[in-house]
Amino acid sequence: MAADLIIKSIGELATVASTSGVVKGDAMQNVLRIKDACIVISGEKIVEVGAEADLLPKYASSNCTVIDAQGKLVTAGLVDAHTHLVFDGNRANEFLMRCQGKTYTEIAEAGGGIVASMRATRGSTLERLVQLGQMRLQRMLEAGTTTCEVKTGYGLDIDSELRMLEAILELQKHSVMDIVPTFMPAHAVPPGENRERYVKHLIDDMLPQASRVVTASSSKTHVYVDVFCDRGYFTLADTEQIFAAAKKYGFRLKVHADEFVNLGASKLATTAGADSADHLLNISDDEIALMAKSETVAVLLPGTSFYLNLHEHARARTMIANGVAVALGSDFNPGSCHIFSLPLIWGLACLHLKLSVEEALTALTVNAAYAIGMGEKVGRLSAGYQADITMYDVGTLEEVPYNLGWNSVAQVIKKGRSVFKRS
Ligand code: NIG
Ligand code: FE
């Protein structure tokens, strides 16, 4: 096959060793680290990856573009499995309240939290939500993210939730990134509303309308429904009902599980066939065993436990030791984690979740892609996968988390095209 693009002089190319499937438990450590490597691309896809000495003579031709990586590190484009990046307003005041010792729950009970962002987002327009989303996506791209999931959940009434969904579908249409939308009116019960009534309205009216919006937009990907199943938000019974209805309309499932208390949502995720259960700070040992046997990916969000100033973090080591497929996400949102940088999340995963640098790479690429139903397309530097590539201004994998807080990303390739280069 003729090459359109060759990336040569890669100091270290790091990618998950297996060439297909989600990666569970100990296998997360199995990362190929090839020195003096080269990637051969045709159109939007990778043709071959390997030692430069073998591949350059085979593919180099006069009509092929060559990018010189100048001895730097290259990985698959990073995948953010969990974001709430469409919202208006900000909650800097809440950050300062937490610095003074207030908890997330205390702040939410005092009128802050999701409801504060709901007010600002309800007052926004479709155009402005799209514009804010575009600006944030650009910053994420410059930090190495090439695929991301984006949730609604700051509208919490039918018109505002559908407007958020339209904004996400609009971003999907025009962004260079692959965007996977999630409809999440079950993010909080809006103030003054009765929970049971809200859940009924969500099932009877919001889901069918959302399904029509998705069909009318000809979404490029499947769409998820997510539920915040936790104390003060939605019960396990609510989550079960919402899941059953969502499936009927063809939505795929994910759940915010066990963030503050354990209501049984991670077990439900495995029996309902959810692609992911996210947060999991309070998951039980039995549920870890169930996750390991299931197709459900555990999405851990170390940025959130850090940003909320919690002393406890998710038990990633126990999950990996028991054979769970662990992924990472930013949880980028206006309140509990205003962090979008996956290189920073990488550092926090090593520091607080005790992941090795290789496990964190697996969690930020292949497993994050499977958590959002994109694992067959992105997440690996292997033949046949989309040519989504992040290049760093450092020489080895260890230096990415080590440079905590400095964005080492130098260049980003999406579908075989250079879409960002730091000047
Ligand atoms: O994932 N946990 C629920 N939802 C978000 C918080 C969103 C917010 O505070 O605005 C989260 O942490
Ligand atoms: Fe979240």
Side-chain angles (χ1 to χ4, degrees):
M1 192 185 284
D4 296 322
L5 173 66
I6 292 182
I7 305 177
K8 67 162 195 174
S9 303
I10 298 170
E12 176 171 314
L13 180 149
T15 187
V16 167
S18 67
T19 53
S20 68
V22 74
V23 186
K24 289 185 169 185
D26 295 340
M28 288 180 63
Q29 182 62 34
N30 297 342
V31 165
L32 288 178
R33 300 180 62 167
I34 310 171
K35 301 282 173 212
D36 305 315
C38 167
I39 304 176
V40 181
I41 295 157
S42 173
E44 297 187 353
K45 290 194 173 164
I46 296 172
V47 174
E48 201 169 344
V49 169
E52 176 168 319
D54 301 334
L55 298 189
L56 260 193
K58 192 167 154 192
Y59 290 101
S61 76
S62 52
N63 45 13
C64 156
T65 309
V66 176
I67 293 178
D68 186 337
Q70 299 181 323
K72 297 299 183 354
L73 170 72
V74 168
T75 69
L78 303 177
V79 178
D80 196 335
H82 184 139
T83 86
H84 305 253
L85 76 83
V86 174
F87 58 85
D88 206 336
N90 77 66
R91 284 158 45 204
N93 61 324
E94 295 187 12
F95 177 79
L96 296 177
M97 285 163 84
R98 271 199 308 283
C99 298
Q100 304 301 319
K102 290 264 185 296
T103 66
Y104 181 81
T105 306
E106 286 166 346
I107 294 167
E109 281 167 356
I114 292 167
V115 166
S117 293
M118 175 205 80
R119 292 202 177 89
T121 305
R122 280 187 183 174
S124 197
T125 61
L126 176 65
E127 293 68 32
R128 183 166 156 81
L129 292 175
V130 170
Q131 206 176 52
L132 288 166
Q134 272 164 344
M135 177 190 77
R136 293 172 188 141
L137 283 168
Q138 181 60 30
R139 289 178 186 165
M140 288 163 68
L141 186 76
E142 294 179 14
T145 304
T146 52
T147 297
C148 86
E149 182 265 7
V150 185
K151 301 174 203 293
T152 73
Y154 293 116
L156 308 183
D157 64 27
I158 192 161
D159 291 345
S160 316
E161 280 296 314
L162 293 176
R163 189 184 321 125
M164 283 195 75
L165 181 61
E166 279 170 30
I168 296 169
L169 289 163
E170 188 65 17
L171 291 169
Q172 185 199 57
K173 208 168 274 167
H174 300 292
S175 172
V176 298
M177 272 196 220
D178 281 304
I179 291 176
V180 179
T182 295
F183 188 55
M184 197 183 181
H187 198 197
V189 180
E193 182 58 89
N194 163 283
R195 205 196 73 245
E196 276 99 343
R197 232 183 20 227
Y198 183 69
V199 171
K200 186 170 182 331
H201 173 51
L202 194 160
I203 290 172
D204 293 346
D205 309 311
M206 290 185 174
L207 288 179
Q209 289 264 30
S211 156
R212 280 194 277 276
V213 167
V214 170
T215 308
S217 82
S218 2
S219 173
K220 291 182 186 169
T221 68
H222 51 279
V223 176
Y224 284 95
V225 161
D226 191 344
V227 178
F228 190 7
C229 181
D230 219 307
R231 185 181 56 207
Y233 295 87
F234 293 90
T235 66
L236 188 66
D238 298 336
T239 311
E240 268 171 312
Q241 283 184 52
I242 294 168
F243 273 9
K247 268 191 202 173
K248 275 198 251 159
Y249 291 105
F251 292 103
R252 288 166 73 160
L253 309 176
K254 31 178 80 250
V255 63
H256 281 60
D258 312 329
E259 181 177 4
F260 301 118
V261 300
N262 185 327
L263 299 181
S266 45
K267 179 176 178 189
L268 173 63
T270 64
T271 56
D275 286 349
S276 75
D278 304 32
H279 285 288
L280 305 178
L281 269 76
N282 294 290
I283 190 171
S284 68
D285 290 342
D286 289 351
E287 289 166 312
I288 288 178
L290 286 174
M291 295 269 301
K293 277 189 277 174
S294 75
E295 297 299 304
T296 307
V297 177
V299 175
L300 305 186
L301 307 163
T304 310
S305 42
F306 168 70
Y307 204 80
L308 290 179
N309 224 352
L310 304 181
H311 302 295
E312 301 287 332
H313 302 279
R315 293 188 293 147
R317 287 266 48 98
T318 310
M319 292 181 206
I320 292 174
N322 284 279
V324 173
V326 170
L328 290 163
S330 69
D331 197 17
F332 178 47
N333 74 68
S336 66
C337 185
H338 200 240
I339 298 172
F340 59 82
S341 160
L342 291 181
L344 174 51
I345 296 297
W346 193 333
L348 293 174
C350 293
L351 262 178
H352 288 163
L353 303 184
K354 317 282 183 228
L355 294 196
S356 71
V357 69
E358 291 90 352
E359 289 169 335
L361 175 71
T362 304
L364 282 165
T365 54
V366 172
N367 285 358
Y370 274 95
I372 59 172
M374 294 291 284
E376 310 288 318
K377 282 196 183 141
V378 304
R380 283 180 159 97
L381 296 179
S382 305
Y385 284 86
Q386 213 163 272
D388 293 3
I389 298 162
T390 296
M391 303 164 67
Y392 308 78
D393 215 354
V394 297
T396 62
L397 208 54
E398 287 73 15
E399 290 170 82
V400 180
Y402 163 69
N403 276 292
L404 201 71
W406 171 61
N407 180 10
S408 59
V409 173
Q411 189 166 359
V412 178
I413 312 290
K414 180 68 186 176
K415 294 184 183 168
R417 214 161 53 81
S418 178
V419 289
F420 167 68
K421 189 169 197 289
R422 197 170 301 286
S423 49

